[in-house]
């Protein structure tokens, strides 16, 4: 919306009218993974939310393009030459499920090449990196410790943030290679990690609640895995979400995303070579 575009309609809710797709379509699925569920299963990782991984979303996109946008390759090239394809913060759930199912840091790092390769296969114009997951209430609750050395100066878990940075570094290397292989395409890395760090800075300077979730219950971070936001009674919501960074311990509040989006747009737009 900050870019002057409306929220995109989800692919599965299209009603067939031209207005539906004027500005684009959203193929995302909550809880989805980069790697197919069968690939994760081979690593003894269970995908509990959905089997709609990135390859399924890509199939939907290609079906949509063939059915609604263009009829042959040349037609697609002409109609999509100025289009923006954004691959969201994909891959995070692969790691989330693995971490909470007890995988070691070595096992997590071994997943990175496959996750990055899957993302790059799908990449067209926008590739966001991963959040500093060690700052999220869900992880700070699960891995809470009295060992002060486990936390950085922002009170985030060091080892999880180091892993997020490792994923992001590998993704940036792959994006650089993709840009060399596809010199006529503009491939941009969306630095969610630095954007989140900017959010932390703003939250500190403006006195936002950085530690606790707005919607949740229990503990230092107002988060309980068995009593998450929306799960039923006795899970409260803060009176002023605009003063909180985290909505439910996993996702940000609208205010949090607004601050991050402003930073990202400022840094990404000049690289897209857009002409308004």
């Amino acid at each position: 919306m900050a870019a002057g575009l409306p929220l995109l309609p989800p692919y599965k809710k299209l009603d067939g009218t031209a207005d539906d797709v004027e500005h684009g379509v959203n193929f995302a699925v909550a809880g989805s993974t980069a790697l197919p569920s069968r690939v994760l299963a081979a690593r003894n990782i269970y995908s509990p939310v959905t089997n709609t991984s990135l390859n399924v979303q890509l199939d939907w996109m290609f079906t949509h393009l063939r059915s609604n946008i263009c009829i042959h390759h040349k037609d697609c090239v002409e109609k999509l030459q100025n289009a923006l394809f954004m691959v969201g913060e994909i891959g995070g759930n692969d790691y989330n499920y693995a971490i909470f199912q007890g995988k070691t840091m070595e096992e997590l790092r071994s997943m990175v090449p496959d996750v990055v390769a899957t993302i790059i296969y799908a990449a067209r114009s926008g590739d966001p990196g991963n959040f500093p997951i060690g700052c999220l209430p869900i992880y700070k609750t699960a891995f809470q410790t009295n060992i002060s050395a486990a936390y950085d100066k922002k009170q985030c878990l060091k080892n999880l943030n180091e892993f997020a940075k490792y994923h992001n570094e590998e993704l940036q290397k792959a994006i650089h290679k993709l840009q060399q292989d596809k010199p006529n395409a503009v491939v941009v890395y969306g630095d969610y990690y630095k954007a989140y760090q900017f959010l932390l800075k703003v939250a500190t300077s403006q006195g936002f609640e950085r530690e606790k979730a707005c919607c949740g219950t229990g503990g230092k971070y107002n988060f309980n895995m068995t009593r998450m936001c929306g799960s039923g009674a006795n899970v409260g919501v803060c009176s002023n979400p605009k003063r909180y960074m985290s909505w439910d311990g996993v996702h940000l509040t609208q205010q949090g995303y607004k601050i991050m989006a402003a930073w990202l747009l400022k840094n990404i737009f000049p690289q897209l070579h857009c002409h308004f």
Side-chain angles (χ1 to χ4, degrees), residues 122-193:
R124 291 297 181 272
S125 296
D127 290 301
N130 207 350
F131 285 94
I133 58 176
C135 299
L136 304 181
I138 181 174
Y139 282 109
K140 293 173 76 171
T141 297
F143 299 101
Q144 189 171 349
T145 176
N146 291 325
I147 301 173
S148 60
Y151 297 91
D152 62 20
K153 62 182 180 180
K154 296 183 176 68
Q155 292 305 301
C156 300
L157 291 162
K158 289 181 182 178
N159 66 330
L160 291 175
N161 279 0
E162 287 301 317
F163 172 70
K165 286 193 285 188
Y166 172 67
H167 165 87
N168 292 342
E169 289 165 2
E170 293 302 304
L171 179 58
Q172 289 178 76
K173 290 177 185 177
I175 289 173
H176 178 68
K177 183 178 186 304
L178 178 62
Q179 184 69 82
Q180 292 179 319
D181 294 341
K182 304 287 185 181
N184 294 324
V186 179
V187 186
V188 175
Y189 173 71
D191 200 334
Y192 277 25
Y193 196 102

Side-chain angles (χ1 to χ4, degrees), residues 48 72 114 129 146 161 167 182 195 209 225 230 243 250 260 273:
H72 51 70
D114 289 340
N146 291 325
N161 279 0
H167 165 87
K182 304 287 185 181
E209 173 56 63
M225 185 70 81
R243 303 302 300 174
V250 182
M260 275 191 62
H273 309 304

